[in-house]
Amino acid sequence: MADFSKIMEKKAAALKYDNEKNGAPMIVAAGMGHMAEKITETAMKSGVPVYEDDSLASLLTQMKLGAEIPEELFQAIVEIYIYFLGFTGDPEKDRAERERRREERKNNLSS
């Protein structure tokens, strides 16, 4: 039963940005539980880097598919794109960098 609860807590969203068609990134997939696992699994199998942020995923999964990201979330999305620019493909190194940035962001918010 614990595994089921753990699965149901997962959330995931996939974004796409086409500067010729959209003014902001848009949500192309979002879901919770089993659907979140499938979104993440599909991204990883396709070589798409995955960024983990539970708070942001919670917000994005509440939005409609095809919706553009609202301005209030632009900074968070920019940070993700910056993260991807430094993506190395080494899961341990990337995880450590993600944790470092998360701590840095947390410290900036509390200052």
Side-chain angles (χ1 to χ4, degrees):
M1 198 65 151
D3 289 338
F4 179 75
S5 295
K6 206 173 194 180
I7 290 172
M8 293 311 295
E9 291 175 7
K10 293 185 178 188
K11 296 177 177 92
L15 305 177
K16 178 181 179 180
Y17 179 62
D18 182 339
N19 66 345
E20 293 181 13
K21 295 181 182 178
N22 307 101
M26 61 186 283
I27 299 170
V28 294
M32 300 184 311
H34 184 67
M35 181 61 75
E37 282 192 328
K38 289 297 180 187
I39 291 168
T40 303
E41 185 179 295
T42 300
M44 291 169 70
K45 283 182 180 177
S46 301
V48 174
V50 174
Y51 185 89
E52 296 176 32
D53 183 324
D54 294 336
S55 298
L56 184 58
S58 292
L59 291 170
L60 294 175
T61 56
Q62 294 175 28
M63 297 176 64
K64 289 184 177 183
L65 289 180
E68 288 188 358
I69 301 302
E71 282 187 47
E72 295 82 14
L73 297 180
F74 281 7
Q75 185 60 44
I77 302 305
V78 166
E79 288 177 18
I80 292 170
Y81 281 113
I82 290 169
Y83 163 78
F84 287 149
L85 289 173
F87 185 70
T88 66
D90 178 339
E92 288 305 312
K93 190 173 182 181
D94 292 333
R95 186 179 323 277
E97 177 62 15
R98 186 171 52 247
E99 286 301 318
R100 185 192 68 75
R101 287 178 191 243
R102 187 174 290 146
E103 283 300 314
E104 184 178 283
R105 190 169 62 236
K106 190 186 302 181
N107 291 335
N108 288 340
L109 291 175
S110 64
S111 298

